[in-house]
Amino acid sequence: MAADHAPNQDVIDKSAAAGALAGPIHFPPKDDLAHTKSMNEVIHNARSATDKEHKMTLWQGIKLYPKAVGWSLLISTCIAMEGYDVCLLSNFYGFKQFNRKYGEQLPSGEWQVPARWQAGLSNGANVGEVIGLFINGFVSERFGYRYTVMTCLVLIIGFTAIFFTAQSVIDLQVAEILCGIPWGVFQTLTITYASEVCPVALRGYLTTYVNFCWGLGQVIGIGVIKSMLPRTDEWAYRIPYALQWMWPVPLLIGIFLAPESPWWLVRKGRTEEAKKSLLRLTSTNKETDFDADETISMMVHTTALEEKITSGATYWDCFKGTDLRRTEIVCMVWAIQNLSGNSFSGYSTYFLEQAGLPDYKAYDFALGQYSINMAGVFGAWFLMSLGIGRRSLYLYGLCGLCSMLFILGFLGLVPHEHKKEASLATGAIMLVWALFYQLSVGTVCYSLVAEISTRRLQIKTVVLGRNLYNVVGIICSVLTPYMLNPGSWNWANFTGFFWAGICFLCIIYTYFRVPEPSGRSFAELDLLFERGISARNFASTEVDVFEDEVGLNKEVVGRYEEKMEGSVRHDEKLEG
C-alpha cells in the first residue's frame, strides 16, 4: 500500500505511470506506484470507459442505453406541464371569455386584462420558479432526483385546484406563484437527470428533448383554447385549467419506478447502488464492450477530479475559481433565450390580434408556431447529427433571429390601408422566427447548460442560470405588455426593433464567451476550463485527463475502494 512506502518512493516518474496505465489489464507491484491497487484500477477502468464513450456512435448509444432514453424522456415530460400553463396564460389575454371574467372594460367597450395584471400574472410564475429553483439546489442534492420530482408532482395536484376555482385575478396570481415553485424544480432536474443517465453520444439529444416537451405542452394548450372558442360561459377557461390534472398522476407512477441518477449516487459514495442503477439504464450489448464497473470508475474519477478543482459544493462555490466562468456562461446562455425576443413571441396570439388578425386566425398562427417549436427540436437533432456543434448552432441561430426581428420592425412602417397584408406578413415572419429559434437558441441552450457546469455543482449552477432567465423574464414580462397593449405604449411591430438591438448584443457575447462542449467527456471539460482555454479554441484543443497526475480526492476514491474490496472478499468466499 502507498502508506507503507518510504517518502522518496512517493514521487514517481509520470511517464512511467502513464505507460503502466496505458498497458494491458494488470497492475504493477505495489512498490512501483504511490497509488493503491484499487485506485489504479479506478483510473484504468475510467480511461477504458472514457475511450469507449468517445468511440460510441449515436446508434450504439441508443442500443446500449434504451432504458436510459425511456426514463429520461419520461422525467423530461414534466416540463410539458409548465409549457401548457404558460401557453394558457399568455394566450388567454386574447381570449374574450377570460378577459370578461378577469379584465376591465376599456373606453371602446372592449374587455382587456390590464397591462399591470398581465405583467403581474406572468411574473407570479417567475417569482415562484425563483423560489423553487433555490429550494431545489439544496433538496435534490440531499434527497435525490426522484423523490424531489415526485414531491413536486403532488404539490401540482393541490395547486391546480386554485386555478380551477379562481374567482378573481388575485386568485390566479396566488396560483401562479405556488405552481411556479414545483415548475422551477422541473426546469433544472429534468435537464440534470437527462445529462447524467446517458453517454456522450446521447447527451445532446436527451437534454434538448426538454425543449420538445415545452412545445408539446404549448401545442396541447393552444389546441384546448381553440376548442373552447365557441363557448361563452365560464367553462371556456375553467376546462383548460382543469386539464392540468391530466399530467401529474401518470408521471408520478412512472417516476416512482425510475432508477436514480448513478452520478448522484456516486457523489454520495453509494457506488454499489450506482452500479445497480446503471444496469437498470442499460441493456446487454456486446457491440460496445460495455462494462458497468468501468463506467462507475469513470464517474468516481470525474467526481474526484472535480473535488480537486472545485473547493466545495455550495452556491458560493459557483463563483470561485474556474467555476465563476462556467456559472457566467450558463447564466448568460439561459438569459439570451429571453433577450433574443422569446418573451415577445410568447404573446404571439395577443400580438397578432393587435396587428389586425381575427382571433381564430391568430390562434391558427399560434398553433403553427408551437408546432414548429416541436418540429424544430428534431431539426436541431438532425443538424447536430451532421456534426454541427452547439456553439455554431447557437451563434448562427442568433444571427437569424436578429434578422427576423428587424424585418418585424420594418413591417410596422407599412401604410394603414395595407394593414391586413402587413398583419399576415407579420404572422409569417413570426413563424420563421420560431423555426430559427427552435433550431438553435431554444433547443441548444438545454444542452449547453447541462454540459458546461461541473457534476458537483451542476444543479446549483443550472439553478443560478435559470434564475437569471427568470429575472430577465420578469423584466421582459413587465415591458412586453406595455409595448403591445393598445391602452399603453402601443408599439406594435416597432417592438421588433427593440429586441433586434438586444439580440445583436447577444451575438457579440456568444462569439467571445460561449465554448463548444460537444464530444467532450465531463472530465475533459473540467480540464479545459481549468486551463483557461478560450471559447473559440475549445473545439480544437486536445486534452487527456489521464496524462497528468490529477491528485484524485482520496476520500471519494476510498469509498469506491472499500466497496470494491468488499466485493472481492465476497467473491473469494464464494469460490472457497
Side-chain angles (χ1 to χ4, degrees):
M1 299 293 286
D4 299 324
H5 289 182
N8 62 344
Q9 290 176 311
D10 287 337
V11 180
I12 62 170
D13 186 352
K14 293 182 181 179
S15 60
L21 291 175
I25 303 177
H26 73 276
F27 299 98
K30 64 180 183 181
D31 290 334
D32 290 347
L33 287 175
H35 294 304
T36 65
K37 177 178 179 181
S38 297
M39 190 178 294
N40 281 325
E41 188 166 348
V42 170
I43 297 172
H44 184 279
N45 288 347
R47 178 194 290 271
S48 178
T50 301
D51 290 342
K52 289 177 182 177
E53 282 214 5
H54 280 309
K55 295 174 183 176
M56 188 182 297
T57 64
L58 172 61
W59 182 238
Q60 288 175 336
I62 293 173
K63 289 196 293 182
L64 179 59
Y65 284 84
K67 300 172 188 176
V69 171
W71 291 121
S72 176
L73 297 184
L74 174 70
I75 290 184
S76 295
T77 305
C78 292
I79 284 290
M81 286 187 289
E82 184 185 5
Y84 178 83
D85 182 83
V86 170
C87 171
L88 287 187
L89 183 62
S90 60
N91 285 286
F92 271 158
Y93 297 146
F95 204 45
K96 292 183 175 62
Q97 300 90 323
F98 183 86
N99 285 325
R100 186 171 291 273
K101 172 67 175 179
Y102 300 108
E104 297 176 1
Q105 193 170 23
L106 299 178
S108 62
E110 181 185 3
W111 288 84
Q112 285 280 341
V113 175
R116 65 181 185 278
W117 274 111
Q118 288 184 16
L121 289 172
S122 299
N123 288 338
N126 287 330
V127 168
E129 287 167 5
V130 169
I131 297 171
L133 283 162
F134 277 123
I135 292 174
N136 177 44
F138 297 105
V139 174
S140 59
E141 191 59 32
R142 179 173 180 180
F143 298 106
Y145 299 173
R146 289 172 56 252
Y147 289 117
T148 303
V149 172
M150 287 190 292
T151 301
C152 290
L153 288 170
V154 172
L155 293 176
I156 286 287
I157 294 173
F159 295 155
T160 296
I162 305 175
F163 278 120
F164 184 68
T165 59
Q167 295 300 312
S168 68
V169 71
I170 296 175
D171 297 335
L172 291 179
Q173 181 77 75
V174 172
E176 290 289 343
I177 294 173
L178 291 177
C179 280
I181 295 174
W183 288 338
V185 174
F186 297 148
Q187 288 176 347
T188 52
L189 273 195
T190 51
I191 305 168
T192 304
Y193 187 86
S195 69
E196 292 191 355
V197 299
C198 63
V200 172
L202 298 179
R203 203 166 60 203
Y205 301 92
L206 292 183
T207 52
T208 54
Y209 173 76
V210 171
N211 198 44
F212 174 87
C213 294
W214 262 92
L216 175 64
Q218 291 171 326
V219 166
I220 295 173
I222 202 72
V224 169
I225 290 179
K226 272 181 63 68
S227 68
M228 295 293 113
L229 284 175
R231 301 191 69 106
T232 58
D233 57 5
E234 64 179 8
W235 291 101
Y237 51 86
R238 292 186 71 186
I239 289 175
Y241 276 133
L243 288 175
Q244 289 183 104
W245 277 313
M246 69 183 173
W247 300 102
V249 174
L251 288 172
L252 193 60
I253 296 171
I255 293 169
F256 175 77
L257 299 173
E260 185 56 84
S261 163
W263 281 92
W264 181 82
L265 292 168
V266 165
R267 289 196 296 273
K268 295 299 178 182
R270 295 154 59 178
T271 49
E272 283 300 313
E273 293 178 55
K275 181 178 177 180
K276 293 176 182 177
S277 178
L278 181 62
L279 291 173
R280 289 189 60 196
L281 294 166
T282 56
S283 64
T284 304
N285 182 11
K286 300 299 182 182
E287 182 180 344
T288 57
D289 193 23
F290 172 73
D291 187 304
D293 287 319
E294 289 181 349
T295 303
I296 295 298
S297 294
M298 180 181 65
M299 296 178 185
V300 171
H301 179 271
T302 302
T303 302
L305 178 62
E306 289 184 349
E307 287 196 12
K308 170 184 175 287
I309 296 173
T310 305
S311 57
T314 66
Y315 277 113
W316 180 241
D317 292 305
C318 295
F319 300 96
K320 294 180 179 178
T322 59
D323 289 302
L324 173 61
R325 179 186 174 194
R326 301 173 84 155
T327 302
E328 171 225 314
I329 296 170
V330 168
C331 288
M332 286 304 300
V333 165
W334 269 127
I336 286 172
Q337 275 200 326
N338 273 326
L339 295 174
S340 60
N342 187 32
S343 62
F344 178 42
S345 70
Y347 284 78
S348 58
T349 305
Y350 183 76
F351 172 77
L352 291 170
E353 286 186 359
Q354 301 308 318
L357 286 182
D359 56 1
Y360 68 92
K361 280 196 175 182
Y363 282 112
D364 285 339
F365 270 108
L367 183 59
Q369 176 185 328
Y370 295 141
S371 298
I372 287 173
N373 289 357
M374 298 172 65
V377 175
F378 296 113
W381 287 359
F382 173 73
L383 294 175
M384 285 191 289
S385 70
L386 296 179
I388 301 177
R390 328 286 199 242
R391 167 185 162 89
S392 298
L393 281 175
Y394 203 82
L395 181 62
Y396 297 143
L398 282 172
C399 294
L401 295 179
C402 187
S403 301
M404 294 301 106
L405 290 169
F406 271 118
I407 294 172
L408 280 174
F410 283 115
L411 284 172
L413 300 174
V414 175
H416 184 75
E417 55 268 23
H418 298 292
K419 183 177 181 180
K420 181 179 179 180
E421 291 82 358
S423 63
L424 289 172
T426 296
I429 291 298
M430 291 192 76
L431 292 181
V432 176
W433 184 96
L435 179 61
F436 269 98
Y437 182 80
Q438 296 305 328
L439 287 174
S440 57
V441 176
T443 299
V444 178
C445 168
Y446 294 93
S447 182
L448 286 171
V449 300
E451 295 175 302
I452 289 175
S453 52
T454 65
R455 297 305 86 203
R456 295 187 71 214
L457 292 172
Q458 185 185 43
I459 294 177
K460 291 180 174 63
T461 306
V462 175
V463 161
L464 291 170
R466 187 67 186 191
N467 267 335
L468 180 61
Y469 169 92
N470 287 328
V471 169
V472 174
I474 289 172
I475 297 171
C476 294
S477 295
V478 170
L479 293 176
T480 304
Y482 285 94
M483 291 175 179
L484 301 180
N485 197 299
S488 298
W489 302 345
N490 195 26
W491 285 6
N493 279 66
F494 295 127
T495 310
F497 286 133
F498 175 84
W499 292 115
I502 301 296
C503 189
F504 180 74
L505 297 178
C506 295
I507 293 172
I508 297 174
Y509 175 86
T510 300
Y511 179 76
F512 287 103
R513 297 296 291 171
V514 178
E516 178 55 70
S518 62
R520 300 287 193 180
S521 70
F522 290 126
E524 288 171 335
L525 290 171
D526 291 336
L527 287 186
L528 285 168
F529 275 108
E530 187 186 31
R531 294 175 182 177
I533 305 300
S534 68
R536 286 165 289 170
N537 295 326
F538 238 66
S540 58
T541 301
E542 294 184 4
V543 61
D544 183 356
V545 297
F546 305 101
E547 184 179 29
D548 298 320
E549 175 62 59
V550 296
L552 297 181
N553 183 283
K554 294 180 180 179
E555 180 184 353
V556 178
V557 178
R559 298 188 196 123
Y560 181 85
E561 185 177 333
E562 291 172 5
K563 294 287 186 181
M564 186 169 61
E565 289 176 352
S567 298
V568 170
R569 287 194 298 269
H570 179 70
D571 292 341
E572 289 174 349
K573 286 181 181 179
L574 291 178
E575 290 175 1

